[in-house]
Amino acid sequence: MLAKYSLKLPKAVYAGEEAVDNLAAILQSEKAERVVLFTDKGIEAAGLCSLVTERITKADASFSIINDIPAEPEYSAVQRIADRIGPDCPMIIALGGGSVMDTAKLVSVLSGCTVRDLLGNPRLGRKRACTIMIPTTAGTGSEATPNAIVAVPEDELKVGIVNDSMIADYVILDPVMIQSLPRHIAAATGLDALAHAIECYTSLKANPFSDTFALKALALIMGNIEKACDDISAIEEKRMMQIAAFYAGIAITSSGTTAVHALSYPLGGRFHIAHGVSNAILLSPVMRFNMPYCLDRLASAYDASFPEGERDLSREEKAEAVITRLEEIVRHLGIPRSLRDFGIKDEDIDSLASSALEVQRLLVNNARPVSLEDARSLYLGLM
Ligand SMILES: NC(=O)c1ccc[n+]([C@@H]2O[C@H](COP(=O)([O-])OP(=O)(O)OC[C@H]3O[C@@H](n4cnc5c(N)ncnc54)[C@H](O)[C@@H]3O)[C@@H](O)[C@H]2O)c1
Ligand SMILES: [Zn+2]
């Protein structure tokens, strides 16, 4: 465990029923006269935008809407949006999943630099806009993190840009935003949060701050994810998933994800597998690979996640029970088990493994060192 660690958080977080009602007061306290609302077509079609625009109008602010943010955007798409908005952009509201929030966070720090510049040196970003994150998936936890992920097609990879100035000023977690999330999106995004929680808890960067949030997120997700995805009326379970995804995001901020996310990035960058789905496929194989190096951690993850479970078990049995539960959840939620289902062929494995090894930002956090050969065998095991 780290000897030095920190926790950086948004200025204020509003959660629970009708939390979106706080928006007008936030805008008034920030003396916002003009707002740019970032969203996408799926969220617009789900009828969520008016919940936000009504509150902007109530605060006597004017607004414009960017409604065409692509899912899992390439860095050049984010740049085009920033160019359309221009230099004068004092207040940004992001209403959406990770794709919308990451785009908004990047645009909020593009002051005298481009997204491409940030890929080379994330520290160049300087805050130029106040940001309010309203997540509509549960989720990436992007509302809590200083990270934004963009696809870099020329490298066939997704790349994380990290800059503390991208931590949101305000977060609104209103369950109405995730109530009618389609099942396949709820499943993929919920599994992403599950990966965040268990990766951060077993990360070499784990610390008392991140442990608190990662373990709580893990227990909440293990107990609620299936019902939250299966049952449209399971409001309480959905609410728990929203809180858990936020906690898992805080855990990322203080600790960090590991080899699941590192091996997932080339699958997203080259084969366009949705972020949550690629993590879900890798989740139990990577945890099984890591198991001998983080037995104590997996055993305490068992104790936290299954308070009513059998106590009289060895560390190995507890770790095995956690991994078996991960497999059960991934299977239940209908995630494909083979990379072949996404058009990946045996001859792609070598280059996928080389690309994954480039994600040292995350691999250095993994409890077990990952060699090129290890990455190859992990991918091959999924063929
Ligand atoms: N910044 C971070 O810390 C962080 C962490 C993990 C992942 N990410 C990134 O986030 C992106 C993925 O975000 P995501 O998984 O939230 O999905 P997303 O934002 O890409 O959205 C996926 C789809 O769901 C739709 N959708 C979202 N909310 C909806 C709702 N309430 N009702 C109906 N449709 C809805 C969207 O329109 C979109 O078509 C990836 O690029 C990933 O790399 C970022
Ligand atoms: Zn993720």
Side-chain angles (χ1 to χ4, degrees):
M1 192 168 303
L2 291 185
K4 287 184 185 172
Y5 39 90
S6 63
L7 187 58
K8 291 167 185 155
L9 295 167
K11 200 166 13 178
V13 184
Y14 300 89
E17 302 289 332
E18 293 167 14
V20 71
D21 280 349
N22 292 288
L23 186 54
I26 296 171
L27 294 175
Q28 279 162 344
S29 72
E30 291 288 338
K31 300 185 177 31
E33 290 175 0
R34 212 167 52 74
V35 173
V36 184
L37 173 60
F38 282 50
T39 193
D40 70 25
K41 301 280 185 203
I43 290 139
E44 212 173 40
L48 298 175
C49 288
S50 62
L51 295 174
V52 171
T53 54
E54 280 163 15
R55 271 77 182 182
I56 302 176
T57 306
K58 195 172 161 202
D60 285 330
S62 65
F63 62 88
S64 54
I65 304 186
I66 303 283
N67 66 355
D68 54 355
I69 295 169
E72 315 221 358
E74 294 179 4
Y75 74 90
S76 51
V78 177
Q79 186 62 49
R80 279 195 296 278
I81 287 163
D83 293 344
R84 258 160 65 196
I85 293 172
D88 181 23
C89 177
M91 170 65 74
I92 295 178
I93 300 177
L95 174 71
S99 301
V100 168
M101 290 190 283
D102 286 4
T103 302
K105 284 158 67 176
L106 284 167
V107 171
S108 79
V109 299
L110 292 183
S111 173
C113 63
T114 63
V115 187
R116 179 138 198 81
D117 295 336
L118 294 185
L119 284 168
N121 180 4
R123 288 169 186 230
L124 292 174
R126 294 265 175 282
K127 192 169 175 70
R128 64 165 175 146
C130 177
T131 55
I132 304 174
M133 300 288 137
I134 311 180
T136 63
T137 59
T140 63
S142 174
E143 67 276 15
T145 71
N147 307 7
I149 321 289
V150 285
V152 181
E154 50 272 40
D155 296 338
E156 298 188 327
L157 205 56
K158 294 190 74 180
V159 175
I161 297 170
V162 186
N163 180 319
D164 287 347
S165 303
M166 288 198 289
I167 294 178
D169 292 291
Y170 298 93
V171 175
I172 296 179
L173 304 174
D174 191 324
V176 73
M177 300 298 174
I178 60 162
Q179 210 161 307
S180 53
L181 201 54
R183 184 180 190 269
H184 69 283
I185 301 175
T189 54
L191 286 163
D192 186 27
L194 177 57
H196 296 162
I198 191 130
E199 286 179 79
C200 288
Y201 189 64
T202 53
S203 166
L204 294 178
K205 288 210 182 115
N207 62 73
F209 290 154
S210 63
D211 286 353
T212 303
F213 289 96
L215 273 186
K216 188 66 192 170
L218 189 62
L220 285 172
I221 298 168
M222 292 270 204
N224 290 290
I225 189 168
E226 286 132 319
K227 186 141 192 243
C229 292
D230 292 350
D231 181 355
I232 187 100
S233 66
I235 305 299
E236 191 53 23
E237 287 77 3
K238 288 173 194 279
R239 227 166 50 82
M240 291 298 113
M241 285 300 295
Q242 193 172 43
I243 299 296
F246 175 66
Y247 285 177
I250 298 177
I252 294 182
T253 304
S254 187
S255 171
T257 54
T258 62
V260 176
H261 271 67
L263 269 73
S264 164
Y265 281 161
L267 297 176
R270 183 160 161 206
F271 292 96
H272 306 290
I273 305 178
H275 178 74
V277 173
S278 53
N279 286 327
I281 296 172
L282 286 157
L283 189 54
S284 49
V286 171
M287 283 301 146
R288 202 172 283 292
F289 168 83
N290 284 347
M291 188 169 133
Y293 288 69
C294 51
L295 268 181
D296 284 333
R297 290 254 130 192
L298 289 171
S300 36
Y302 172 94
D303 292 335
S305 304
F306 311 114
E308 317 219 317
E310 171 79 57
R311 289 293 102 180
D312 194 17
L313 296 178
S314 66
R315 288 184 314 163
E316 288 76 6
E317 285 168 327
K318 287 181 176 180
E320 187 56 46
V322 170
I323 295 173
T324 303
R325 176 76 182 118
L326 296 178
E327 283 165 352
E328 188 182 281
I329 293 171
V330 171
R331 199 176 323 113
H332 177 93
L333 293 176
I335 301 296
R337 296 170 77 179
S338 168
L339 294 179
R340 290 191 203 283
D341 292 343
F342 299 93
I344 297 174
K345 301 190 179 62
D346 291 336
E347 54 268 33
D348 298 319
I349 298 296
D350 282 352
S351 60
L352 280 172
S354 320
S355 297
L357 263 276
E358 283 174 34
V359 193
Q360 287 299 324
R361 177 176 78 85
L362 304 183
L363 286 177
V364 294
N365 301 341
N366 202 59
R368 177 172 179 174
V370 180
S371 68
L372 187 62
E373 196 43 46
D374 293 330
R376 280 190 76 249
S377 350
L378 281 162
Y379 285 128
L380 270 177
L382 289 165
M383 293 298 281

